Amino acid sequence: MRAGPAVVTTPRRAARAAAVVAGLALALAGCTATEPGDVGATDAPSAEAAATSAPAAAPATCTDLTQSYAPGESGADVEGNASVRRIRDRGALIVGVSADTLLMGSRNPITGAIEGFDVDMAAAVSTAIFGDPDHLQFRVITSGQRLDVLKRHEVDLVARAFSITCDRWTEIAFSAEYFHAGQKVLVPLDSDARDIDDLDGMRVCAPEGTTTIARLADYPGIEAVGAQTHTGCLVLFQQGKVDAITGDDTILAGFAAQDPYAKVIGKAISDEPYGIGVAADDVELVRFVNAVLDEVKADGRWAASYERWLGALGDAPEPPESVYGRTARGGSS
């Protein structure tokens, strides 16, 4: 393993060191899940309560990994969906989110509210159930916890830059795709690197337990460095302990906005379709979420959220098309 770099004080390093305070503040904010609006595991639905008569998710075929379950006849109507009525009767929609992914899901340092594009999608589901977005309860989780909190029924949904993959379909279910991202690289502003192939011999950080860090194995010249969260990677980057960060372009755009001494380079090395995660045995909830997302894509709310949070990536594209036809165990499509 290559030895750590010597610490040399330069004007750029001094300025970046000052920015560490902001990164640490976000990291600490992301660790708290007990403030108003946040919940811990004890507040979440039990596995018994989460089980419904709905058929369980079918094994993934990978003919189209973004294929989800079509909305039911009742669409986004609460009364026609037993899973959603149970959430309404409880009084809150419990969602696993990030609190430190700027632009997607992060805690506003002034108001304390968790906000971003992912949060807007969760708020739309809350509005469909309760008539307003104020019945959301957040469970702040890391990337590596996304599958487990769903499999243990500790949350109803996960909206956390969650890439749909065939392997994940074998453990949980996903909504239709609501955003299409791609993995890129963040480097210092004065770096000569143009893409990931220029990073041989360098240390590149990514969150542990993610497809992002696993993909670094395709680049044997790179030394992969794991951190608990993307913000953990940012702190290491600003301290000079890693040379670059890799992640979805949505996440890196937030880092570039936060650190004026960093830039995003290269073409995307992956396709990252984002979906909202749902427990595998709650197909009826997936159908309801898909009906809500279809409405959000069609009525302008998706484009408005994109412009607010992700405008730095360019003009709002067309929302990803919802692909349906996945069949649940028991034969319902």
Side-chain angles (χ1 to χ4, degrees), residues 306-321:
Y306 183 99
E307 291 291 349
R308 179 182 180 187
W309 300 110
L310 302 172
L313 297 177
D315 294 336
E318 289 297 314
E321 181 180 357

Side-chain angles (χ1 to χ4, degrees), residues 183-185 196 199 202-207 210-226 233 244-247 269:
Q183 184 174 340
K184 294 186 179 181
V185 178
I196 194 168
L199 299 180
M202 297 186 184
R203 291 160 297 181
V204 180
C205 189
T210 64
T211 56
T212 303
I213 197 166
R215 196 167 286 115
L216 289 179
D218 296 334
Y219 301 87
I222 287 175
E223 180 183 337
V225 178
C233 283
I245 304 171
T246 187
I269 63 172

Side-chain angles (χ1 to χ4, degrees), residues 22 48 50 162 187 202 261 317:
E48 181 179 358
F162 206 176
V187 297
M202 297 186 184
Y261 298 96

Side-chain angles (χ1 to χ4, degrees), residues 120-146:
D120 283 356
M121 298 302 107
V125 180
S126 172
T127 299
I129 297 173
F130 299 102
D132 61 61
D134 298 329
H135 288 74
L136 280 172
Q137 288 187 350
F138 295 124
R139 169 81 182 274
V140 177
I141 59 174
T142 66
S143 297
Q145 294 174 319
R146 293 175 297 189

Side-chain angles (χ1 to χ4, degrees), residues 266-285:
K267 296 180 179 179
I269 63 172
S270 70
D271 289 312
E272 303 292 343
Y274 288 176
I276 293 177
V278 186
D281 59 2
D282 209 350
V283 173
E284 290 308 303
L285 180 55

